[in-house]
Amino acid sequence: MANEIWTIKRCLEWTKEYLAERGEEHPRLSAEWLLCAATGLARIDLYMRMDETLNAAQLETMHAAVVRRAKGEPLQYITGSTQFRMIDVTCAPGVLIPRPETEMLVEEVLNYLDAEVLSPEAAARQRVELPWNDEVEEARKAEAALADERATAERRAANLTAADEAALGSDVLGSRAYAEELADREAEEAAAQAAEAEVAEAAESELDEYGIAIEGADQETASAQDAASPAPAEPRIARVLEVGCGTGCISLSLAWERRGHVTCTATDIEPRAIDLATKNRDALGLTSDEVAFSLTNLVSSIPREEWGTFDVLVSNPPYIPTGVMRSLPHEVKDFEPDLALEGGADGLDIFRRLLNAAPYMLRAGGLFACELYEGALDAAAELCRQAGLSDVRIVHDLTDRPRIVRAIVTEPKQRQ
């Protein structure tokens, strides 16, 4: 076999058939993932380079990967990464693999931050209206109108009969009346162009901090107004607390997608999770000031002076009910960590502790949001109401299953 020629096409087809025989649900997709990891190619490139031959190192990597996958090990652990929203996340055994449902949890948090905490500029840059835009537009409209009138006059002149021309006493385009009309139109057109040039020249003159042209006495007036006006307030930076960060995908996505507007503090009780999340943060070029990871039990490491300062408490906690753990797919229950999966008899053990902490961690109006087991959402929502939280909502995932509970803390608490 070592001397055989294995092209990308042959390896793809062989791997697909091999995995299908062993019960793989999506054998071709798995084969593509494994080949991409072994060759370093993007998925589309596999199909552009089907006739290329794999080298010895690639074949060895592919062989080991196929054996692992045939035993049921998750693809993300084998390839070492997965995509989450807008970022690539490194994955490793011992740390929960990010799920698509969790992308929706991030979306819920972003929607809240954009609507309730951040300035509009944080989510989208809008076109700045310069003060001379309207003047330039008016000049352009005037010029266009003159051009339309001139074209109309020419068309009318061209349609005159021979009798009309004789009555005028000369050819149409050379008639005195029409020549005067054209002269008037050209003078008006020149005036419009001059006005536009004047506006453009003003635009190139000295501008104040708001982009308004300043000249002479106007500059003095503007300077006096600037001195009297208070400086605009700095936009507020949103603060997010995540409990149970795993790979860091939630906090890293929030900080990445609203960079400069959101900072995150994220905790986990598993050392491997903190190490992996830190690695993912460094790969994105984010700093510890933007996303800080802490090895601790839930919120135990949060300094007392930071209580009540967070805008959001978000978590994808362990939430699988103990009785459901036995029925999980082989690749989940036998490879992913129980510590990140099992949530007690009803799946809400950790949720209850987070709900108890939320009023102490969040400011008034802060968001508490958790991803939970689909059969536990109604109970979780009722617990939120009993705890005095308001605007309690259940959010469904893309398969229309209840997946996220979110609520607002209206009355923060302080421990004595």
Side-chain angles (χ1 to χ4, degrees):
M1 182 175 179
N3 295 326
E4 293 184 53
I5 296 176
W6 284 84
T7 63
I8 289 177
K9 180 179 181 180
R10 182 185 178 192
C11 190
L12 179 64
E13 294 300 324
W14 184 90
T15 303
K16 181 191 71 172
E17 293 176 8
Y18 182 84
L19 294 178
E21 291 172 358
R22 282 152 183 80
E24 172 68 48
E25 187 176 0
H26 303 289
R28 188 175 193 87
L29 182 61
S30 294
E32 291 170 347
W33 273 44
L34 298 177
L35 259 175
C36 287
T39 62
L41 296 175
R43 188 177 172 194
I44 190 173
D45 291 333
L46 294 178
Y47 292 92
M48 300 292 291
R49 302 162 71 166
M50 281 290 203
D51 295 331
E52 286 192 13
T53 303
L54 300 178
N55 59 40
Q58 291 170 335
L59 279 173
E60 184 178 352
T61 299
M62 191 65 184
H63 177 264
V66 171
V67 170
R68 292 171 65 184
R69 183 57 186 162
K71 294 178 180 179
E73 186 172 352
L75 284 166
Q76 294 89 339
Y77 288 160
I78 299 171
T79 63
S81 68
T82 192
Q83 189 171 18
F84 186 85
R85 290 181 65 89
M86 298 174 64
I87 63 176
D88 289 325
V89 177
T90 297
C91 300
V95 182
L96 189 71
I97 297 169
R99 301 301 204 273
E101 294 84 359
T102 309
E103 295 187 4
M104 294 187 62
L105 180 61
V106 173
E107 188 71 17
E108 285 297 313
V109 173
L110 287 175
N111 289 340
Y112 165 81
L113 292 176
D114 290 344
E116 304 296 337
V117 181
L118 302 177
S119 61
E121 291 77 13
R125 184 180 299 275
Q126 298 180 351
R127 177 177 180 264
V128 177
E129 288 291 342
L130 298 177
W132 54 79
N133 282 349
D134 290 341
E135 297 178 42
V136 172
E137 187 63 24
E138 288 301 319
R140 288 176 178 168
K141 288 180 180 179
E143 181 179 358
L146 288 173
D148 288 343
E149 290 181 16
R150 181 172 182 176
T152 300
E154 290 176 348
R155 286 194 298 270
R156 287 176 178 172
N159 288 333
L160 290 178
T161 64
D164 294 328
E165 293 179 13
L168 287 172
S170 60
D171 64 76
V172 174
L173 294 180
S175 68
R176 181 174 182 180
Y178 188 68
E180 290 176 352
E181 182 181 1
L182 285 184
D184 291 340
R185 297 291 187 272
E186 289 171 355
E188 291 175 7
E189 182 176 352
Q193 292 174 344
E196 183 174 354
E198 184 178 348
V199 170
E201 184 178 355
E204 295 174 358
S205 61
E206 186 178 357
L207 307 179
D208 68 10
E209 61 179 311
Y210 301 105
I212 301 175
I214 301 175
E215 293 183 7
D218 291 339
Q219 183 172 359
E220 296 177 3
T221 302
S223 298
Q225 292 175 344
D226 291 342
S229 301
E234 289 293 327
R236 190 160 78 81
I237 303 297
R239 303 194 73 229
V240 175
L241 173 60
E242 181 193 359
V243 177
C245 63
T247 61
C249 59
I250 294 176
S251 287
L252 294 175
S253 290
L254 293 171
W256 180 259
E257 294 184 40
R258 296 295 182 273
R259 192 163 193 181
H261 300 279
V262 174
T263 62
C264 301
T265 298
T267 72
D268 205 292
I269 199 172
E270 169 58 61
R272 287 175 292 182
I274 294 298
D275 290 343
L276 187 60
T278 302
K279 178 180 179 181
N280 282 324
R281 180 190 67 196
D282 295 344
L284 288 170
L286 293 168
T287 68
S288 58
D289 290 333
E290 294 173 293
V291 183
F293 293 111
S294 176
L295 179 64
T296 190
N297 183 20
L298 302 182
V299 299
S300 299
S301 66
I302 306 302
R304 187 63 64 96
E305 60 269 18
E306 293 187 21
W307 289 14
T309 67
F310 294 99
D311 298 290
V312 175
L313 194 166
V314 61
S315 182
N316 175 21
Y319 62 67
I320 304 298
T322 302
V324 179
M325 288 288 293
R326 295 186 294 272
S327 62
L328 291 176
H330 165 58
E331 68 177 67
V332 176
K333 67 181 179 182
D334 293 334
F335 289 95
E336 296 198 65
D338 287 353
L339 184 65
L341 292 170
E342 188 171 356
D346 62 357
L348 296 176
D349 280 3
I350 301 300
F351 173 80
R352 288 185 178 90
R353 298 173 66 183
L354 293 173
L355 177 59
N356 181 63
Y360 296 97
M361 296 295 110
L362 295 172
R363 61 167 178 81
L367 175 70
F368 175 56
C370 283
E371 177 182 331
L372 296 171
Y373 178 65
E374 61 185 271
L377 266 298
D378 288 335
E382 183 58 30
L383 288 172
C384 287
R385 296 185 188 99
Q386 292 175 8
L389 275 63
S390 65
D391 194 19
V392 180
R393 306 182 203 172
I394 294 175
V395 180
H396 289 235
D397 63 21
L398 296 176
T399 62
D400 202 31
R401 294 187 175 117
R403 183 61 59 192
I404 296 165
V405 64
R406 49 163 290 168
I408 300 297
V409 170
T410 54
E411 297 183 5
K413 297 180 181 179
Q414 294 183 351
R415 284 202 177 106
Q416 301 302 323

